[in-house]
Amino acid sequence: TAPRLAAAVEPKPSPAPAGAAAPAAKGAEGSVPLAPPDKQSVLGKAPATVPKKVGWAVVGLGELALGEIIPAFRECKLAQPVALVSGHRDKAKQTAEAIGVSADAIYSYEDFDRIKDNPKIDVVYIVLPNSMHAEYTIKALKAGKHVFCEKPMAASVAEGEQMIAAAKQAGRKLGIAYRLHYEPMTQKVKEMCVKKTHGAVKVISCTNGQDTKPPNIRLSRELAGGPAQDIGIYCFNAARFFTGEEPVEVSAFATQPANDPRFREVPESIVFTLRFPSGVLAHCDCSFRSVDTKRFHILCEKAEIEMNKAFAYRGLRLFVTDEDKREEITVRAVNQFTMEMDDFSRCVLDNRAPLTPGEEGVADMKVLAAIEESIKSGRPVKM
């Protein structure tokens, strides 16, 4: 096709008027046209269409929002920050100036309902203490906005179900920020478990520990804090994710030392076991008073799958060990927050269901409730 296109572009010579000099030989001066023809063929691709970006309002400007979520917008292709909600006007104003958000798109919790009048806001990202998730999710849905909410989605199963009902009533989408569901290395582990690459999964063990210093919302019972809610949720969500099943029984034990005042409202450490219908067992532990540890280990019929720095924002490493060798599996690193925000934005643009919907959050809330019940009763809890 190239010669045909070139011929179409090249102008045909006009007959020379009588008495005019003969046209120059090919290659001589004047034989090359200096101006393009009136009609030209398209020889290259037209510029790609710039994708529409979805406008996000970030609610709560704490450590997670300022340190991870807002910076992640820089790498987003489909999501952009257009509004901020905070109880600290000065902090919000400084943040808005830094990321190009208009001063009139800064809201407080008292005038939160005004977001309904801002057409630039498509999605509201709830990054508040756990006890406030349901209230502001439902308010945002009633304002006609889609909602992406941090985990745990609520303080109770009942609140989670109310959030789902509000989303359905408003005709808006509700997603829960399980960022690791969007992370390629974790997805690779899921694939190995589903395909039984190393045989059937038998036992899963997960550990998530850190040293939590006061003051911290995670240490407040009133704000729905606690190690199971904050970091233990990664463990049992991973077990549910890798098995593709819901547990049928939960057993849990907790320690709450009287000599450490930071644990006067929530436990210091929790150990719990989940039993799944297929027979898979998951034993997990989480602590607010330990060395920083994030890992999981999956025992299969033919090999072990393990990830260190599991549950972390970055630095994840994946290994598979069989009887003969230990191999590191490398997968491209991504910004997990960018991935989840772009994916939810695509859901809004294409009107499809979120990868991690409200129902995923409620399933975890049911496990949390069973853990708390088992701790209080000292007995296993049937699910």
Side-chain angles (χ1 to χ4, degrees):
T1 58
R4 200 174 298 169
L5 285 172
V9 173
E10 185 177 345
K12 295 181 180 179
S14 302
K26 189 175 182 179
E29 184 178 353
S31 64
V32 177
L34 300 180
D38 292 335
K39 295 181 179 180
Q40 300 183 50
S41 298
V42 177
L43 299 179
K45 293 182 178 179
T49 303
V50 177
K52 171 179 167 51
K53 286 202 170 186
V54 173
W56 287 59
V58 179
V59 183
L61 299 181
E63 182 180 347
L64 181 63
L66 294 177
E68 299 292 342
I69 294 170
I70 289 176
F73 278 111
R74 299 187 198 124
E75 299 178 47
C76 286
K77 295 179 180 179
L78 300 175
Q80 64 179 350
V82 297
L84 301 174
V85 180
S86 174
H88 304 278
R89 179 75 185 183
D90 291 341
K91 183 198 289 188
K93 186 177 179 182
Q94 183 180 5
T95 305
E97 290 173 353
I99 63 176
V101 167
S102 172
D104 61 7
I106 298 174
Y107 304 89
S108 68
Y109 299 115
E110 288 73 24
D111 67 359
F112 179 83
D113 292 339
R114 286 199 304 113
I115 65 171
K116 69 178 181 297
D117 301 321
N118 188 339
K120 292 182 179 179
I121 300 174
D122 301 299
V123 177
V124 172
Y125 194 161
I126 306 294
V127 201
L128 293 167
N130 303 337
S131 60
M132 301 171 71
H133 286 184
E135 177 185 357
Y136 282 90
T137 290
I138 293 171
K139 283 185 175 182
L141 290 166
K142 287 182 176 179
K145 311 302 181 181
H146 304 283
V147 174
F148 200 63
C149 181
E150 269 301 323
K151 59 194 174 302
M153 72 180 295
S156 67
V157 174
E159 283 190 353
E161 291 174 340
Q162 289 166 15
M163 292 161 70
I164 292 174
K168 290 179 179 177
Q169 184 175 0
R172 292 294 180 264
K173 302 184 188 304
L174 171 61
I176 310 302
Y178 289 101
R179 54 184 168 77
L180 290 167
H181 286 232
Y182 304 82
E183 193 279 314
M185 195 171 291
T186 307
Q187 291 174 338
K188 179 66 175 177
V189 176
K190 168 75 169 182
E191 179 186 345
M192 289 190 284
C193 293
V194 170
K195 292 184 176 180
K196 300 183 180 179
T197 307
H198 307 288
V201 173
K202 295 300 179 182
V203 178
I204 299 173
S205 60
C206 300
T207 294
N208 202 349
Q210 64 187 42
D211 190 15
T212 303
K213 304 290 188 183
N216 194 306
I217 59 174
R218 298 169 178 86
L219 298 172
S220 169
R221 169 63 71 177
E222 183 181 357
L223 297 179
Q229 288 82 349
D230 183 59
I231 54 179
I233 193 170
Y234 287 94
C235 299
F236 57 77
N237 184 265
R240 292 180 49 248
F241 184 55
F242 296 143
T243 61
E245 298 181 325
E246 299 301 333
V248 294
E249 187 176 68
V250 175
S251 298
F253 300 90
T255 181
Q256 194 165 349
N259 62 350
D260 193 331
R262 61 180 152 164
F263 301 115
R264 62 184 179 270
E265 295 184 8
V266 302
E268 171 208 89
S269 305
I270 298 176
V271 175
F272 52 93
T273 302
L274 312 178
R275 183 166 62 85
F276 291 92
S278 62
V280 174
L281 297 174
H283 56 91
C284 312
D285 55 88
C286 55
S287 179
F288 272 170
R289 193 184 183 185
S290 75
V291 64
D292 189 79
T293 306
K294 304 178 187 302
R295 58 181 172 81
F296 65 71
H297 176 277
I298 303 175
L299 184 62
C300 303
E301 289 177 305
K302 301 176 182 177
E304 305 167 55
I305 304 169
E306 58 181 312
M307 189 184 292
N308 211 339
K309 279 294 181 183
F311 319 132
Y313 302 146
R314 53 192 66 85
L316 286 67
R317 297 186 68 185
L318 175 62
F319 299 89
V320 173
T321 305
D322 60 20
E323 294 180 355
D324 300 319
K325 66 181 184 300
R326 185 172 190 256
E327 177 187 6
E328 180 168 9
I329 308 297
T330 56
V331 182
R332 66 186 177 94
V334 299
N335 185 311
Q336 298 165 19
F337 295 94
T338 295
M339 296 294 287
E340 66 179 2
M341 289 191 291
D342 264 354
D343 191 85
F344 192 74
S345 295
R346 176 57 67 191
C347 291
V348 170
L349 293 172
D350 294 348
N351 191 27
R352 63 173 173 83
L355 178 64
T356 53
E359 288 76 8
E360 178 73 15
V362 165
D364 272 352
M365 295 308 303
K366 290 178 179 178
V367 177
L368 271 172
I371 288 172
E372 292 188 340
E373 183 181 343
S374 180
I375 290 171
K376 291 177 181 177
S377 68
R379 296 189 301 271
V381 174
K382 300 287 185 182
M383 297 287 290

